[in-house]
Amino acid sequence: MKKAIYPALISVLLTGCMVKPDQDQIGPYPYGYTETLKSYVKKHYFDPYSMRDVAHSTPIQGHLYFKQGWLVCIEANAKNRMGAYTGLKRTLLLLNRGQVLASQDDSRICDDPQIKWVMWNEMDSSKT
């Protein structure tokens, strides 16, 4: 009897953790999102002017940490505090109304083959 109850209980609990899409919370499409990304990079990367192989994804609706908005991935090879390049790293950002609400390094969402990547030459020091 207990073996039959546990799977049902777990599925009910997990269903309660799901976020239902709400257009009011998601907000409008972030048309000027590259400016928001640029502000984030300048604030959170150690040496944003030395970044190489920089790309970003196009926004898709989603949620992160129970907040809703638009998901955008950034991929870059940036320098650390020791001055060495760290290799390509991906960061997932949740945008909403011109702000970054949350971020997650090395998110599996950024590895999705359906993500559309755009080279970001403006932030790429090897291209300027």
Side-chain angles (χ1 to χ4, degrees):
M1 179 74 178
K2 287 182 182 180
K3 289 183 181 181
I5 292 174
Y6 287 128
L9 180 62
I10 290 172
S11 66
V12 168
L13 291 174
L14 289 177
T15 304
C17 294
M18 295 175 68
V19 176
K20 294 180 183 176
D22 180 355
Q23 284 305 124
D24 291 336
Q25 289 182 15
I26 292 171
Y29 184 86
Y31 287 103
Y33 70 96
T34 55
E35 290 303 315
T36 305
L37 297 180
K38 190 185 303 184
S39 296
Y40 177 86
V41 165
K42 286 181 179 178
K43 185 176 180 182
H44 291 90
Y45 281 63
F46 175 68
D47 187 359
Y49 301 103
S50 66
M51 293 170 56
R52 294 183 178 175
D53 305 320
V54 186
H56 63 79
S57 67
T58 55
I60 56 171
Q61 286 185 4
H63 62 88
L64 185 60
Y65 305 125
F66 300 104
K67 297 176 185 174
Q68 298 184 47
W70 295 87
L71 300 173
V72 178
C73 296
I74 297 175
E75 178 181 74
N77 185 2
K79 286 186 177 179
N80 60 18
R81 296 195 185 283
M82 301 295 289
Y85 281 97
T86 60
L88 283 178
K89 303 258 185 208
R90 290 182 172 173
T91 302
L92 175 66
L93 303 176
L94 178 70
L95 308 180
N96 195 319
R97 294 176 175 84
Q99 296 181 359
V100 176
L101 299 183
S103 67
Q104 185 179 54
D105 291 331
D106 302 319
S107 173
R108 296 164 94 192
I109 293 171
C110 296
D111 296 332
D112 188 327
Q114 294 179 354
I115 296 284
K116 294 179 183 150
W117 290 94
V118 178
M119 294 308 297
W120 198 9
N121 293 333
E122 179 182 358
M123 294 300 291
D124 194 329
S125 67
S126 68
K127 305 274 193 245
T128 56

